Every structure is written in structure tokens, then in C-alpha cells.
């Protein structure tokens, strides 16, 4: 156990030290606001205060962890205080302040205040926690931490269960007509072969994933109502049967992929969750927002009210890396109410669409970026969460060769020497 002196014990302090010591390092800690008690104990300890304290180990504090409101901050001061930086990143403090939204009204890496100040490819908080332990170990040689293991979580979003099959004749006719108008004769011919059952639908990759015998979370779109929600109708019999089949697979977990406008609309989210639960005859506890449409605190508050216990939306849509500065799952801190919640956040660090469409990388460049990410996570024995879509694993059209990249990733995450 380690003893920590702070002048004021509050929820922000508890949250920050619990994450660093208990969740990353596996070390118990005790907080005290009594200097007399602190100095009387001959145990591993350090002090954290904005006042100078004569001590072997002392960390100077800025005011962030001792405040209760939300306001503009001097980022220069925060970045000099690693505990304040940890809280600033984990709580997503900057997302409660004014920021420049992207075209889909989302927070982005480009609008982040830490853009250019903290490298998103490296899990800053985990690295700091390990460095902190080494500092403490130098002063207190008997101190030990847990040896956690690297973990990979394979997730796949299903936005379009099939490319052409099991869609209405109107949608297929409209799609075919566009191909004729733009002289895409080859694509039109391929569509015809698929609809006639001569060729398999390229987006139907589910048997391939099943034979990998690798734990997989499928996030299923189950809502309609906007031009951005182009999945099969939730009432479509073939689509419903597919979801039911996936749910029965040994290595599969089904999560909800809430639709485009659900990030702020509780009723939309509730309707989609109830409908999916009714189909599967079980409670749904995992979710990831479609288009990574995450708006704080509304999205997470709505998820909690609907008894979602784990969300996988924490990541940048326009850049790889760690939006919350960590590769360790953490509990959401409700900054508006200054309290720790039971909603567990699983931060992803890479998405196929990000690499190809936002960062405009070649397949070789994307591969190198993924290996950099993987190595940084393995160094701290963290959790690597990837997002692929069934589209990108089809090896069809714009996603040619991405299936091989996925297969290389599956091999590398299982290789203890990488």
C-alpha cells in the first residue's frame, strides 16, 4: 500500500489515484489530508499539494483536481502536473468546453487542445503510471505492482450486413441504375451475379470470422431514419435471422450500434435498444455510437439510464490513438456532477475508416501505424481495441487488401515476441 497526502480529499482526487494505482498498477493506496498522520507513518508515501512540503517525494499540484466547477484552463499548467493531466484526459474535460465541431458535429482530434502536445499514438497515462512506479520503487524498494497482461478486443461494426442481398427491389434497382448512368458496367454485372445467387455477397464475412475462433464483439445497427443510417431495416427477416445466428456463435458477443441521431436523443436510443433486446431475448449491455457520435455528457448519461454498462465509442474518428490518453478500460467520470459512474469505457485506438478515409494512408502506411500502436500498448501490457467493418473485410472495391491487414493483426496480437 502507498500513502498519499493531499490537502483536500474529493471525488476528482479519488478517481485519479484509483485509476493510476488500482486499475493500472494494482497497488492499494490510502489518502490523507492530515500532515501529522502522514509524517507519522513510515510507509511508502508521497505528497501532492500546491504548497511546498519538505518530503522525499512531493508533486506540485495545479488547482484542477481541487476544483468542482468546469471552466477554461491554462493547459500549460496542467501539463506540468501529471496527475492533473491524467484527470484532464480521462474526464474528457476539454469536451465540456467550447470546441470546433466537425461536419458531423463531433469532437475531433483536430479540435483537441492536446493536438501537438501529447502524442496520441502512445498511451500517455499508462506510460506515466509505469514511470511513477519506477520512481516510487527507487525510494521504496519493497513496493510491488501487479503484472497485468496485454489484451486484444476484436470489434466489428455492421453498418451494411450485405452489399446487395436481402435489400428491397427498389434499393437494388436504384443502385443498379446509378451504375448504368455512370458507366460502371462491371459493377452492375457483379451486382446482377450476386442477386442471381451465382456470386456470394462480398460483405457476408461472418463465417470467415467464426472460423477464426477468436472472441469478437459485433456492434449491430438497429435503427433507421436518416441518410447516414443505411443498414438493413430492423424488420427485415434475413437481417434479423443473421443477428440471431451471430448471437448463437461461441465466440461472439452482440452489442448495439446506436444510430446517427441517438447521441443526444434518449427516445431513439431507448427504442433501438429495446427492439434489439426483444429480438435476442436478452439484455444488451454493450454499445458503440454510429459515426462515433459521442456527445458529453448527454450520450453517456443516456446509456446509464438505459442500463448500458460498457461503451466502446471512446476514440478519435479522424486520427488513430487514444482520445482519453489511456489503453486501459476506465469508469466514466461525470464531470458535470463531479462523480464516478458505473459506466465502463473501453477506448479503441484504431479504426479502418480512420486510416483509409481520414488519414488517407496507403495499406502499407496503415500497417506501419498499426504496428506502432500495437507496440506502444504491449509495452504497458494494456488493452488494444480495434474497429473493423464487415465492409473492410470483404476485400471488395475500395477495401481491397484490408482483409490481409486484419489477418496480420490477428497474428501479431497473439505473438508474445512482438
Amino acid at each position: 500500500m502507498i500513502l498519499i497526502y493531499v490537502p483536500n480529499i474529493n471525488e476528482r482526487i479519488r478517481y485519479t489515484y484509483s485509476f493510476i494505482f488500482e486499475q493500472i498498477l494494482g497497488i492499494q493506496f490510502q489518502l490523507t489530508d492530515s500532515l501529522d498522520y502522514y509524517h507519522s507513518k513510515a510507509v511508502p508515501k508521497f505528497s501532492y499539494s500546491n504548497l511546498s512540503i519538505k518530503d522525499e517525494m512531493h508533486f506540485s499540484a495545479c488547482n484542477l483536481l481541487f476544483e468542482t466547477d468546469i471552466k477554461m484552463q491554462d493547459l500549460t499548467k496542467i501539463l506540468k502536473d501529471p496527475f492533473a493531466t491524467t484527470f484532464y484526459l480521462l474526464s474528457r474535460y476539454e469536451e465540456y468546453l467550447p470546441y470546433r465541431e466537425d461536419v458531423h458535429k463531433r469532437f475531433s482530434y483536430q479540435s483537441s487542445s492536446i493536438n501537438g502536445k501529447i502524442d496520441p499514438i502512445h498511451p500517455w497515462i499508462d506510460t506515466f503510471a509505469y514511470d511513477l512506479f519506477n520512481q516510487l520503487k527507487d525510494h521504496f524498494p519493497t513496493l510491488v505492482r501487479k503484472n497485468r497482461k496485454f489484451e486484444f478486443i476484436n470489434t466489428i461494426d455492421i453498418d451494411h450486413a450485405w452489399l446487395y442481398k436481402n435489400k428491397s427491389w427498389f434499393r437494388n434497382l436504384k443502385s443498379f441504375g446509378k451504375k448504368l448512368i455512370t458507366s460502371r458496367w462491371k459493377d452492375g454485372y457483379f451486382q446482377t451475379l450476386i442477386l442471381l445467387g451465382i456470386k456470394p455477397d462480398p460483405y457476408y464475412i461472418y463465417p470467415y470470422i467464426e472460423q477464426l475462433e477468436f472472441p469478437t464483439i459485433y456492434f449491430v445497427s438497429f435503427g433507421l431514419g436518416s441518410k447516414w443510417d443505411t443498414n438493413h431495416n430492423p424488420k427485415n427477416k434475413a437481417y434479423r435471422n443473421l443477428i440471431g445466428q451471430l448471437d448463437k456463435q461461441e465466440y461472439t458477443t452482440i452489442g448495439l450500434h446506436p444510430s446517427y441521431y441517438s447521441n443526444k436523443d434518449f427516445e431513439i436510443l431507448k427504442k433501438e435498444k429495446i427492439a434489439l433486446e426483444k429480438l435476442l431475448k436478452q439484455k444488451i449491455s454493450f454499445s458503440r455510437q454510429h459515426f462515433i457520435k459521442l456527445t458529453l455528457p448527454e450520450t453517456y448519461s443516456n446509456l446509464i439510464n438505459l442500463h448500458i454498462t460498457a461503451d466502446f465509442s471512446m476514440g478519435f474518428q479522424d486520427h488513430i490513438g487514444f482520445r482519453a490518453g489511456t489503453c486501459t478500460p476506465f469508469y466514466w467520470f461525470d464531470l458535470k456532477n463531479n462523480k464516478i459512474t458505473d459506466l465502463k469505457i473501453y477506448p479503441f485506438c484504431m479504426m479502418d475508416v480512420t486510416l483509409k478515409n481520414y488519414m488517407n494512408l496507403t495499406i502499407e502506411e496503415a500497417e506501419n501505424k498499426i504496428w506502432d500502436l500495437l507496440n506502444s500498448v504491449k509495452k504497458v501490457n494494456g488493452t488494444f481495441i480495434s474497429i473493423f467493418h464487415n465492409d473492410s473485410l470483404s476485400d471488395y472495391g475500395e477495401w481491397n487488401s484490408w482483409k490481409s491487414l486484419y489477418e496480420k493483426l490477428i497474428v501479431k496480437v497473439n505473438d508474445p515476441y512482438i
Side-chain angles (χ1 to χ4, degrees):
M1 191 199 72
I2 189 161
L3 178 65
I4 305 168
Y5 168 76
V6 291
N8 176 30
I9 300 174
N10 58 39
E11 288 300 291
R12 292 186 179 188
I13 289 287
R14 289 191 185 94
Y15 177 73
T16 302
Y17 284 111
S18 174
F19 182 69
I20 292 171
F21 286 101
E22 293 180 336
Q23 296 180 53
I24 296 180
L25 298 176
I27 298 174
Q28 291 185 328
F29 71 97
Q30 179 186 354
L31 296 170
T32 180
D33 55 4
S34 168
L35 275 175
D36 290 339
Y37 178 81
Y38 175 77
H39 287 306
S40 71
K41 296 296 181 181
V43 297
K45 60 184 180 180
F46 68 86
S47 55
Y48 176 73
S49 170
N50 47 18
L51 299 175
S52 179
I53 297 175
K54 291 183 179 180
D55 196 2
E56 285 187 340
M57 286 200 70
H58 171 72
F59 291 91
S60 296
C62 69
N63 291 327
L64 181 63
L65 294 186
F66 303 108
E67 298 170 347
T68 57
D69 57 349
I70 304 170
K71 62 185 181 183
M72 295 300 295
Q73 297 287 339
D74 184 342
L75 194 56
T76 302
K77 291 182 179 178
I78 290 175
L79 292 175
K80 291 179 180 179
D81 177 347
F83 298 105
T85 302
T86 295
F87 180 77
Y88 186 82
L89 290 169
L90 276 185
S91 68
R92 305 309 307 130
Y93 197 102
E94 62 181 330
E95 297 188 42
Y96 290 79
L97 303 174
Y99 61 83
R100 186 178 72 255
E101 297 176 333
D102 74 357
V103 66
H104 294 289
K105 299 187 180 300
R106 299 172 297 188
F107 179 85
S108 67
Y109 177 67
Q110 296 303 320
S111 62
S112 173
S113 60
I114 63 168
N115 186 343
K117 299 178 177 66
I118 292 178
D119 184 356
I121 292 182
H122 300 287
W124 188 93
I125 298 173
D126 303 78
T127 303
F128 161 65
Y130 275 45
D131 290 343
L132 174 62
F133 173 79
N134 290 334
Q135 284 182 265
L136 292 167
K137 186 76 171 176
D138 288 340
H139 286 82
F140 312 106
T142 60
L143 195 64
V144 294
R145 64 171 175 83
K146 71 175 180 182
N147 291 317
R148 64 177 184 172
K149 293 182 178 180
F150 166 81
E151 183 180 3
F152 170 61
I153 300 180
N154 181 45
T155 74
I156 296 176
D157 289 351
I158 303 178
D159 296 338
H160 320 92
W162 294 272
L163 178 57
Y164 297 124
K165 290 193 70 174
N166 300 307
K167 293 183 178 180
S168 69
W169 66 267
F170 177 77
R171 287 181 70 178
N172 269 307
L173 186 61
K174 184 179 178 181
S175 171
F176 188 78
K178 285 183 178 180
K179 293 179 177 64
L180 295 182
I181 293 172
T182 56
S183 300
R184 291 161 54 203
W185 311 108
K186 187 176 180 180
D187 290 341
Y189 178 65
F190 185 61
Q191 180 179 356
T192 302
L193 294 178
I194 291 171
L195 293 176
L196 291 174
I198 298 171
K199 289 279 188 180
D201 192 293
Y203 287 4
Y204 190 79
I205 51 84
Y206 317 107
Y208 158 73
I209 298 296
E210 184 180 14
Q211 60 88 25
L212 293 176
E213 297 185 346
F214 206 88
T216 299
I217 304 174
Y218 285 106
F219 289 98
V220 177
S221 298
F222 217 61
L224 291 170
S226 83
K227 68 176 182 178
W228 306 109
D229 300 303
T230 56
N231 52 289
H232 285 65
N233 193 306
K235 296 180 180 179
N236 183 299
K237 184 177 180 180
Y239 188 42
R240 294 172 70 86
N241 287 340
L242 171 64
I243 296 170
Q245 291 167 7
L246 293 177
D247 185 52
K248 291 182 176 68
Q249 293 177 359
E250 181 180 356
Y251 297 95
T252 295
T253 301
I254 299 294
L256 179 65
H257 199 36
S259 59
Y260 187 84
Y261 288 108
S262 70
N263 63 311
K264 288 185 177 181
D265 194 315
F266 178 80
E267 292 304 320
I268 291 177
L269 182 65
K270 179 180 178 181
K271 181 181 178 181
E272 294 173 13
K273 180 176 183 286
I274 290 174
L276 185 57
E277 289 178 336
K278 185 177 180 180
L279 171 63
L280 298 178
K281 296 180 174 60
Q282 65 185 31
K283 293 296 182 182
I284 296 295
S285 56
F286 290 7
S287 76
R288 172 155 57 230
Q289 293 297 126
H290 186 39
F291 269 68
I292 316 299
K293 290 265 288 181
L294 174 59
T295 304
L296 295 177
E298 293 89 347
T299 304
Y300 281 166
S301 294
N302 288 342
L303 291 178
I304 289 172
N305 289 334
L306 286 173
H307 307 293
I308 292 289
T309 59
D311 183 72
F312 291 72
S313 309
M314 183 56 68
F316 294 116
Q317 68 276 358
D318 58 334
H319 203 286
I320 58 172
F322 303 96
R323 180 167 170 174
T326 183
C327 59
T328 301
F330 60 96
Y331 289 97
W332 177 52
F333 188 90
D334 183 349
L335 194 59
K336 190 174 181 180
N337 294 301
N338 265 303
K339 68 177 185 179
I340 305 167
T341 73
D342 293 328
L343 178 64
K344 197 162 191 178
I345 308 303
Y346 288 79
F348 72 87
C349 61
M350 62 133 295
M351 178 168 61
D352 47 15
V353 175
T354 303
L355 292 161
K356 189 177 76 65
N357 295 346
Y358 284 90
M359 298 179 72
N360 298 310
L361 301 179
T362 65
I363 194 74
E364 292 80 13
E365 292 169 335
E367 184 175 331
N368 289 332
K369 291 291 186 182
I370 291 173
W371 304 159
D372 287 344
L373 275 171
L374 183 58
N375 288 333
S376 70
V377 175
K378 284 196 169 187
K379 282 182 180 177
V380 292
N381 294 316
T383 302
F384 187 99
I385 303 175
S386 63
I387 303 179
F388 284 86
H389 294 72
N390 59 305
D391 314 24
S392 64
L393 300 178
S394 67
D395 254 354
Y396 175 73
E398 62 177 328
W399 293 108
N400 182 39
S401 299
W402 282 78
K403 182 179 178 181
S404 63
L405 177 59
Y406 174 76
E407 290 172 343
K408 288 180 182 178
L409 175 61
I410 296 297
V411 170
K412 284 184 178 288
V413 296
N414 286 308
D415 189 337
Y417 299 105
I418 296 176

